[in-house]
Every structure is written in structure tokens, then in C-alpha cells.
Amino acid sequence: DDPVITHDITATSGEHGNISPEGVIHATEGSTRRFDFIPDEGYEVDKVFVDNVEITNLASKEYYNIANITEEHTIHVTFKKLPVQYDVNVIVSGHNPSVHTVNPKGVTPVWEGESFTVNYSAFVGYEVEKVLVNGSVVDTSGTYSIANVSSDCTIEIFFKIKSYTVT
């Protein structure tokens, strides 16, 4: 009988996930070994390296096969945080919608860390009564911006009929 030839594959992972199997795996000459990538909740596979070379054309972000094993190898996977999207909801309150311009209105999905701006103005005879952001009054004039969106948000703009004092 011919002796069985084996080669070691060292499998490692970065933070926020695992690779399976992990550690030093003995593979028979000519065989194929599958390595599964298991990201933690809220993370995804970022990069996979085989023998310190990034695999840029991954067929799947769930696993990688090292085929026709004829020498020792290393495989390493890194993980990154999944992008998070939040909803910014712009609500107009008060008088009928024909008395103002608000852009955008309604729910706008915004990626975490991006900025969001709403522009608004009242037509002649009307004025902005107040602007609430998540229920709190903000001091703003015609524009309200969030520089770094990190949660769902509600912006409520109130319009009213302008009051005039006749003397």
C-alpha cells in the first residue's frame, strides 16, 4: 500500500465571526476541503485570503473550497459590519398642504452615517409655527439637517396662518 499523503491547512478568522473548520486541518493529497464562514449577528464576510492572497471573485460569501490539495495552505476570513438603514419620516402638520413647500416629505431611507436635509417654506400668508425632531422643538429656519444619521427619526413641521396686527 502507498502511504497516505496529507497536507495541513491552517484556517483562521478575524473578529465578529468564525470559520469552520478552524485551526489546523489535515487534508489528503488531491482532496477538496470546504470552509464555511459564520459571521456574527449584524456582520458579513468582508475578505477571504488563501495563502495571503485575497480571493476577489468569491462565488459565495458563505464558504470557500480549496480544491486539489497538493501542498500546505492558509485560509483567513475577515468580517465587516452590515450596513444599517434608518427611516427619516418628515410629517407636515397644521394647515392644508397647499400652503407650503416641504422637500422631501414622507419616509426616506438613509444609510447609517449619511446626512439628511429637509427644506421647507410657507407660502405668503402662512408661517412655520414650529419644527419637532423626535418630539423636541428645534430652532431652525427653512432647513433642518442631520449630519450623521444613527437611528430612525421623525421630523414634524407645523404651519399656521400668519397673524397680523392692524393699527
Side-chain angles (χ1 to χ4, degrees), residues 49-76:
F49 299 89
V50 174
D51 300 330
N52 297 316
V53 176
E54 183 178 355
I55 306 301
T56 57
N57 58 345
L58 278 177
S60 167
K61 285 207 166 205
E62 295 175 4
Y63 68 91
Y64 185 78
N65 289 322
I66 298 179
N68 191 26
I69 298 167
T70 58
E71 60 188 6
E72 292 189 2
H73 291 285
T74 61
I75 182 168
H76 181 77

Side-chain angles (χ1 to χ4, degrees), residues 11 38 65 86 107 142 155:
I38 306 138
N65 289 322
Y86 295 108
V107 176
I155 301 170

Side-chain angles (χ1 to χ4, degrees), residues 1-166:
D1 284 327
D2 290 331
V4 175
I5 300 171
T6 61
H7 302 281
D8 291 343
I9 300 174
T10 303
T12 58
S13 61
E15 294 181 352
H16 306 296
N18 293 296
I19 189 169
S20 179
E22 187 168 26
V24 178
I25 290 74
H26 307 290
T28 306
E29 173 101 14
S31 67
T32 296
R33 286 305 304 251
R34 175 182 166 132
F35 294 88
D36 293 305
F37 311 132
I38 306 138
D40 292 346
E41 182 79 25
Y43 289 83
E44 67 181 348
V45 170
D46 183 23
K47 296 179 181 177
V48 175
F49 299 89
V50 174
D51 300 330
N52 297 316
V53 176
E54 183 178 355
I55 306 301
T56 57
N57 58 345
L58 278 177
S60 167
K61 285 207 166 205
E62 295 175 4
Y63 68 91
Y64 185 78
N65 289 322
I66 298 179
N68 191 26
I69 298 167
T70 58
E71 60 188 6
E72 292 189 2
H73 291 285
T74 61
I75 182 168
H76 181 77
V77 59
T78 62
F79 301 92
K80 66 180 177 181
K81 191 172 176 40
L82 282 169
V84 177
Q85 199 171 54
Y86 295 108
D87 290 333
V88 178
N89 189 10
V90 177
I91 301 169
V92 176
S93 296
H95 290 279
N96 128 14
S98 64
V99 301
H100 62 267
T101 301
V102 175
N103 187 29
K105 279 189 235 179
V107 176
T108 302
V110 181
W111 292 108
E112 181 176 39
E114 290 187 351
S115 61
F116 175 85
T117 299
V118 59
N119 296 297
Y120 54 91
S121 61
F123 289 170
V124 173
Y126 294 88
E127 63 186 349
V128 175
E129 181 179 358
K130 62 184 170 183
V131 177
L132 300 180
V133 177
N134 294 330
S136 297
V137 175
V138 295
D139 184 20
T140 177
S141 178
T143 300
Y144 182 76
S145 295
I146 303 168
N148 183 2
V149 175
S150 60
S151 65
D152 290 336
C153 181
T154 299
I155 301 170
E156 192 168 8
I157 304 167
F158 291 81
F159 292 91
K160 68 177 184 175
I161 296 174
K162 202 172 208 178
S163 299
Y164 296 97
T165 304
V166 178

